[in-house]
Amino acid sequence: MCLPFNIMASSNSSEAKTLEFHEMGLDDRLLKDIASQGWEKPTLIQEKAIPLALEGKDIVSQARTGSGKTAAYAVPVIQKILTSKRGAREQAIRALILAPSRDLCKQTYTNIRALTRSCSRELSCVDLSGQVEIAAQRPLLMEKPDIVISTPRRLMAHLQAGNIDLRDSLEMLVVDEADLIFSFGHENDIKELVSYLPKIYQAMLMSATLTDEVTSIKQLVLHNAITLKLQESQLPEPDRLTQYFVKCVEEDKFLLLYCMIKLNLIRGKTIIFVEDIDRCYRVKLFLEQFSIRSCVLNSQLPASSRMHIIFQFNNGFYDIIIAAGDAYKFKATEQEEKKHRKDNSRGKGKKIPTDVEFGVSRGIDFQHVSNVINFDFPSSIKGYIHKVGRTARAHERGTALSFVTEEETELLTEVEEYLTDESGVCPLKPYQFKMEEVEGFRYRTKDAMRAVTKVAIREARMKELKHEIFNSSKLKMYFEDNPRDLQLLRHDKVLHPAKVHSDLKNVPEYLVPRVLKGVKPVTPKAKNKKYTPVKSKAMKHMMKKKADPLNSFTFQRPTKSSSKET
């Protein structure tokens, strides 16, 4: 038996020429769909993984979030299926893609569909990660789609029900975000799944970190695997990602956020991270006071609504999305996690909480994000890296700004020490912002904050939850028949439980700092016009009646003097 070996790929290596997509022997239709995605050249992980996967190698890939791991396995899977179907006599399930959560499955399905538009008649794909009954998905599996995407738990339910058979036809197995599989409680499912797989198949594991759990999965499903470890920092290089922090008090966080948005210091698509869901709605309602539209990425919303929110954000329907930090991490402590995994391995584990199974997971792909704002500073180094990593993805540029209170200074110090390189340079720099320049805006933020009460936050959460559940369940069949109407459904609507001050919408010219006069477009002054009073409905009706000569005619009785003259 040959021992597995590692390939260390460096992002700074210039020894060999970069391998382009058209040099990988890919189908012309696949190249056309790759070009339609706007991918000019492959990322480092794609350049190294795709040729090896096309050769049939088992791969364990470690690469940071946003490095292009999804395409690194999707492209070779699609290419190999197109090749094998040229001489195939019957339809069969050839590839299985496992992901730890429904959101990731839906995202992977969307990416696969985008890469198979030109060959959609030849290659079929189905996503099993839904809230529908197992029996309702059985007809989809009877047609034997080429690619099946699912969570391990849902797949095991279909295998045990006899709805799917993988022993005779499966050629490729992909486990995406493998380091989260055990954290989401799929350890037993993965171990049991092996008995339903054929003896020979190609496997690929994609992970941000090579943990002990990934090693366990690797031993279960891989043979003679090649490990791709990219020698790159966990965050993009300083020339693509600019990191700032601002030390302030709690009240100034809202003041800074308002000023930066209204004075155009923040431009482009922005993700605002806060510590919990209530905080999300507090920030949203605060911004509504100034007619600034935003949407909340709430882990309590249905999965279809969450994915629709992300889809519309990625496609530019709105520019500001507010996300809670608890939607991006396992809520239990480390000791509870270890105990849960230990009990689960013995068959005593409790059911995974719904916020872990169905919450917004780490691998969700936010596209073209220009700014990340840590409204509340992350509670760990890992949390900081994950959130800041939402911007400057692939070959793009981005900016990260963190608000730091006195209580969060210690966390800031830990992050600075971690990010400091061997030469003693830290990419996290203080943001030079003069608070005295925006003191004139303080009274406005205080007025807005007084309107954002606990009652208003609770009503806003209830209103949006009812609205999204209604859209998700009652209108599901309607949206299937009318997909255009689904595109028009927006998630950044004003919730309006708090009183909105219309006078706060525009920024007066005298409040704009002198250095920003040319940056902030000031509302033009009103021209000298004649004053026209607002007319009521009764007055408009009366004027309309007078304008009608038939209705406006009034008979005047002749006076005595006039009758004598006649």
Side-chain angles (χ1 to χ4, degrees), residues 237-244 388 392 398-401 427:
E237 296 74 17
D239 61 336
R240 291 197 298 113
L241 174 61
T242 307
Q243 302 177 62
Y244 296 110
V388 171
T399 302
L401 175 64

Side-chain angles (χ1 to χ4, degrees), residues 96-101 105 126-129 148-156 158:
L96 172 63
I97 301 176
L98 298 178
S101 69
C105 288
V126 65
D127 175 19
L128 301 180
S129 64
V148 172
I149 304 170
S150 176
T151 61
R153 188 162 301 164
R154 174 57 67 123
L155 178 66
M156 282 306 307
H158 279 289

Side-chain angles (χ1 to χ4, degrees), residues 59-63 69 73 98-101 104 152 174-187 190 204-218 221-222 341 362-363:
I59 297 173
V60 178
S61 172
Q62 178 190 5
K69 293 194 296 293
Y73 68 76
L98 298 178
S101 69
L104 277 174
V174 179
V175 182
D176 196 10
E177 300 293 345
D179 54 335
L180 294 182
I181 289 290
F182 283 10
S183 297
F184 278 67
H186 297 305
E187 182 177 1
I190 289 292
M204 289 179 276
L205 262 66
M206 301 291 165
S207 177
T209 56
L210 297 181
T211 60
D212 294 338
E213 289 81 0
V214 177
T215 304
S216 301
I217 300 175
K218 174 183 172 181
V221 300
L222 272 73
R341 288 197 292 266
R362 185 192 64 200

